Amino acid sequence: MSDERATVRPVTLSRLVELTHACNGEPKTTANLEDTLDVSHRRARETVLEATRITLLEEDERTEDEDAVYKTTDVGKSFLEAIRSEDWEQAGSILATRSPHYGTFIETLKKQNRRILTHC
């Protein structure tokens, strides 16, 4: 993994899906992903770092003089399958388990929902 700083801009669910799909089957460099996703180099890196951090992608083996390439992990493939089959519970579970931010967000929503229901 890289020692680059984590992004402060949120990476959207749709962008994670696009990125994971783009790296499924054939590993891609950051430059490839810039073109595929039509984003700046910095935004491509932020998105790759986030997807790698939550294990949807992993860096593939490379030599010192090669650019890093990223491929979809088994977790990423499960995530894509859940999205394709519209299994939102499974997709949400994968993200909640792997992303502390997403998990905290979902847990907060559940608490709010319980609080609202107890007042009805």
Side-chain angles (χ1 to χ4, degrees):
M1 176 101 162
S2 171
D3 58 351
E4 294 178 67
R5 71 173 176 82
T7 182
V8 292
R9 292 190 305 174
V11 175
T12 65
L13 176 60
S14 61
R15 191 58 82 187
L16 286 174
V17 172
E18 288 174 329
L19 177 70
T20 306
H21 175 74
C23 294
N24 195 26
E26 182 183 330
K28 303 268 195 243
T29 65
T30 302
N32 296 142
L33 293 167
E34 288 173 48
D35 294 337
T36 301
L37 302 176
D38 192 27
V39 295
S40 69
H41 179 77
R42 182 175 177 144
R43 189 59 177 159
R45 286 298 302 150
E46 289 173 337
T47 308
V48 165
L49 289 173
E50 183 64 15
T52 303
R53 187 178 69 78
I54 63 176
T55 68
L56 298 177
L57 299 182
E58 67 185 357
E59 190 173 331
D60 209 1
E61 296 290 321
R62 65 183 169 129
T63 62
E64 281 186 34
D65 58 341
E66 293 179 323
D67 289 337
V69 292
Y70 299 91
K71 64 181 182 179
T72 302
T73 63
D74 288 341
V75 171
K77 290 175 184 179
S78 295
F79 176 67
L80 286 176
E81 183 56 37
I83 296 294
R84 285 184 188 116
S85 63
E86 297 184 17
D87 185 348
W88 306 121
E89 189 172 327
Q90 177 64 18
S93 176
I94 290 168
L95 291 176
T97 302
R98 309 244 168 224
S99 170
H101 299 102
Y102 185 84
T104 300
F105 174 72
I106 294 300
E107 193 55 40
T108 301
L109 287 178
K110 286 179 182 177
K111 286 178 185 175
Q112 264 315 89
N113 193 36
R114 283 191 294 264
R115 191 174 298 138
I116 291 169
L117 290 175
T118 57
H119 287 94
C120 290

